[in-house]
Amino acid sequence: GAVAYLVLRNNPTDATSPAAISASTVLPAALPPAGTTGTAQAEPSGDSVARAAASLAPSVVTVVNYLQSGSGPFGQTDQGSQASGSGVVISDQGHIVTNAHVVDGAEKLEVILSDGTTLPATLVGSDAYSDLAVIKIDAGVVPAAVLGDSDALLPGNTVIAIGSPLGDLTNTVTVGVVSAKDRSLETSSGFQMEGMLQTDAAINSGNSGGPLASVQGEVVGINTLVVRGSGLSGTTTEGLGFAIPSNTVRTIAGQLIANGQVARPYLGIRWEWITPEAAAANRLGFSYGAYVTAVSGNSPADEAGLQQGDVILGMGGTRFGEDNPFLNELLAHAPGDTIVLDVMRGNSEIQVQATLSERATT
């Protein structure tokens, strides 16, 4: 199957882009607390779905990205083209949350409101690892949606996706259920997107950054990707949409609003992920590891004595594996943390102590 991000371009392309979620437990003061999602578990009626969609619709916008020449989402070459996705207003100050890949490579941003009004927008901050971004329009123009409590969701709860598929079908509503929680999806860059909500609500190109809502009309997730393709049996996958949980959105968006960036730990290496297949082919004595291809000068890795050719097997006492690859383990730490790395150097395993610094992700 293919992991497809849902930004819509003038030449729509399914692609995979690095994104990993590193959720903090701190509730930023920049955003309101969670709503009451999950407190009422009665079977929703068609009317309750319609009321929820109607209450949220004014807060949902189309995000138009006028791409810089020679850049674009996922690194394509563009010549003044544009992309579009969706977003939802989350504060009375006009802050809008969307996906980082929706605004990637932007020279200019605009939003189209539910009534068709077009407004200029500015980028507040973007975080590629969580695939979240915050942009801003004038305060008070659009009512803010309520961010619900995604932890209160249960598989089987009804959810509503609202967005702008194909870029111009604004405020399209689809309905489904929470198929599962805490899903992990492996990307092509050797790490996993974790804690994702899985839903069978129809999500299409242009829905990226739009809200996944409860029947109470609260935002419980931000739609970000869909898995397309066929499995081993040859059957086509359907109904495999994924959203970033609202509790993660609240944390990341709060940091972007407050600081314009999310503090990420920095080790200072270039690396390649070793899989069990590669390890077996090279007759290595381990199955997973991060092969160090380069060490940046004056970085934490350089100061700790890491060398090109080292293989990092684990971090902080945890060995890397399918469920805990290198980047996920690194992003679980904060700048300033001192960590112990299990390193294979030649035929010997050693331990290296490193103090992480901060990498700005804007």
Side-chain angles (χ1 to χ4, degrees):
V3 176
Y5 287 83
L6 302 167
V7 67
L8 179 71
R9 305 178 63 236
N10 52 356
N11 294 302
T13 302
D14 290 341
T16 301
S17 177
I21 293 174
S22 177
S24 168
T25 57
V26 178
L27 181 65
L31 292 177
T36 57
T37 296
T39 57
Q41 299 296 335
E43 183 68 22
S45 66
D47 288 344
S48 64
V49 170
R51 285 194 297 270
S55 68
L56 185 57
S59 303
V60 181
V61 302
T62 302
V63 179
V64 182
N65 176 352
Y66 294 92
L67 296 158
Q68 298 173 2
S69 180
S71 67
F74 325 120
Q76 304 100 320
T77 299
D78 292 279
Q79 299 297 326
S81 60
Q82 67 184 60
S84 68
S86 302
V88 60
V89 179
I90 58 169
S91 83
D92 294 335
Q93 299 304 307
H95 294 105
I96 297 169
V97 68
T98 185
N99 287 141
H101 72 263
V102 168
V103 301
D104 186 32
E107 182 173 318
K108 181 178 72 171
L109 293 168
E110 290 180 345
V111 300
I112 303 174
L113 309 184
S114 59
D115 63 2
T117 301
T118 299
L119 297 173
T122 57
L123 178 64
V124 174
S126 181
D127 180 58
Y129 289 105
S130 63
D131 196 24
L132 289 171
V134 174
I135 62 178
K136 190 177 184 300
I137 58 176
D138 289 340
V141 175
V142 179
V146 175
L147 286 176
D149 181 6
S150 53
D151 289 344
L153 290 171
L154 297 173
N157 282 165
T158 298
V159 286
I160 307 157
I162 306 179
S164 302
L166 304 182
D168 55 2
L169 300 177
T170 58
N171 281 62
T172 295
V173 177
T174 58
V175 179
V177 298
V178 176
S179 303
K181 297 173 61 177
D182 297 321
R183 290 300 200 201
S184 297
L185 294 175
E186 185 175 355
T187 75
S188 61
S189 298
F191 60 94
Q192 296 180 3
M193 299 182 70
E194 294 184 338
M196 303 290 283
L197 298 174
Q198 180 185 334
T199 181
D200 65 350
I203 298 174
N204 300 289
S205 292
N207 275 109
S208 271
L212 188 71
S214 69
V215 292
Q216 287 82 26
E218 298 172 352
V219 177
V220 294
I222 295 296
N223 300 316
T224 189
L225 59 86
V226 65
V227 175
R228 298 191 180 105
S230 57
L232 295 176
S233 65
T235 56
T236 301
T237 57
E238 298 289 348
L240 292 178
F242 294 88
I244 303 165
S246 57
N247 288 347
T248 299
V249 173
R250 180 179 294 103
T251 298
I252 298 298
Q255 292 187 47
L256 291 174
I257 292 170
N259 305 312
Q261 63 185 37
V262 176
R264 298 291 187 188
Y266 175 64
L267 182 59
I269 63 170
R270 293 183 181 179
W271 55 278
E272 295 180 3
W273 183 236
I274 298 175
T275 63
E277 293 77 13
N282 290 278
R283 299 181 179 180
L284 302 178
F286 49 86
S287 297
Y288 293 92
Y291 176 75
V292 179
T293 60
V295 177
S296 299
N298 300 316
S299 67
D302 186 29
E303 294 174 359
L306 279 175
Q307 302 174 9
Q308 180 182 357
D310 286 347
V311 180
I312 305 174
L313 303 177
M315 184 182 302
T318 300
R319 290 282 178 153
F320 301 144
E322 180 179 2
D323 295 328
N324 51 339
F326 170 73
L327 263 183
N328 292 68
E329 291 300 313
L330 180 63
L331 292 173
H333 295 277
D337 285 355
T338 298
I339 57 174
V340 176
L341 304 172
D342 300 319
V343 175
M344 181 65 70
R345 179 173 293 168
N347 295 321
S348 301
E349 184 173 333
I350 62 174
Q351 290 189 321
V352 174
Q353 183 171 288
T355 300
L356 300 171
S357 59
E358 181 176 332
R359 177 194 293 275
T361 57
T362 58

